Amino acid sequence: VNKAQDGASQIHAKGSRHTKTSQYWELPEDSETKSLAPLFKSHPKTTALSQTTGNSRFTDDEPIRPFTLHAAYVVIPTANSTFSGLDDTEAKAALGDDLVAVLQACDLKKSVYDFEANNAFKVPGHPATPEFSNEYVFLPAGTTSQYGSQPVGLVLATSYRLAL
C-alpha cells in the first residue's frame, strides 16, 4: 500500500467526519466589525466527506408521505413594480380540490417581519432603516416591490408539479 492509498483509506474510514478543508475570511480592521470576529475565523467543513461520497441524506431523498402539502412561491418578477394583487380564480378552476390554498399578505396576521426586533445579528455598515430592517413576508397589494422575485404569495397544492 503506497502513502496515497493509505491516506485515502484514512480519510474515507467509516464514520470519519473531518476533512482538511476550511474557509478563511480576512479579519476586519474597523472597530464596528471587530466585535464579530468569531464569524471570521476558519471552521472545518465537517459535512464535506458525507456529502461528496453520497452518504448525506437530503429532503429530496426522503419518500413523499401521504397527504403531504407542496408549496411554491408566487413572485413579482421585477423591482420597483406596484403589485396589484393575486387573483386565484383561474387556478382554483383548473386545479379544483388539488389546490389547497393561495396565501397572500392579507391572509397573514402580520405581513412584515421585523428584523430589527427579531434578529440579533446586525449587518455592519447598514443603518437600521425601515427599508433595510423590515422585510415583507408577502408583498401586500398596492405596495411597490423592493427587488425582483420578491414573494407575493404561496401556493399550496397536493403535488409539487401542481404547486408550480
Side-chain angles (χ1 to χ4, degrees), residues 7-8 10-13 15-24 43-53:
Q10 287 177 356
I11 290 173
H12 297 290
S16 172
R17 299 267 311 152
H18 298 284
T19 64
K20 294 192 186 261
T21 59
S22 291
Q23 295 176 331
Y24 296 93
H43 301 281
K45 184 166 171 54
T46 60
T47 57
L49 185 62
S50 64
Q51 290 173 346
T52 56
T53 58

Side-chain angles (χ1 to χ4, degrees), residues 66-78:
F67 308 108
T68 297
L69 281 181
H70 299 266
Y73 280 108
V74 179
V75 298
I76 192 165
T78 57

Side-chain angles (χ1 to χ4, degrees), residues 33-162:
T33 53
K34 273 196 174 189
S35 64
L36 304 173
L39 294 176
F40 296 93
K41 289 187 178 180
S42 65
H43 301 281
K45 184 166 171 54
T46 60
T47 57
L49 185 62
S50 64
Q51 290 173 346
T52 56
T53 58
N55 291 326
S56 292
R57 292 187 60 106
F58 297 93
T59 305
D60 281 348
D61 296 330
E62 299 297 322
I64 297 173
R65 300 184 185 274
F67 308 108
T68 297
L69 281 181
H70 299 266
Y73 280 108
V74 179
V75 298
I76 192 165
T78 57
N80 255 351
S81 300
T82 302
F83 174 56
S84 61
L86 287 178
D87 181 7
D88 60 0
T89 52
E90 287 184 33
K92 285 179 181 177
L95 300 178
D97 290 340
D98 288 324
L99 177 67
V100 176
V102 176
L103 301 176
Q104 305 178 53
C106 60
D107 299 319
L108 304 177
K109 287 183 181 179
K110 187 175 180 183
S111 65
V112 174
Y113 181 82
D114 186 356
F115 280 99
E116 189 66 30
N118 298 306
N119 191 1
F121 180 70
K122 306 292 185 247
V123 178
H126 290 283
T129 62
E131 296 82 19
F132 183 75
S133 61
N134 292 319
E135 174 71 43
Y136 288 111
V137 176
F138 301 129
L139 190 66
T143 307
T144 302
S145 61
Q146 296 167 316
Y147 53 89
S149 297
Q150 186 169 3
V152 296
L154 188 72
V155 176
L156 298 173
T158 57
S159 78
Y160 181 68
R161 186 182 61 78
L162 293 176

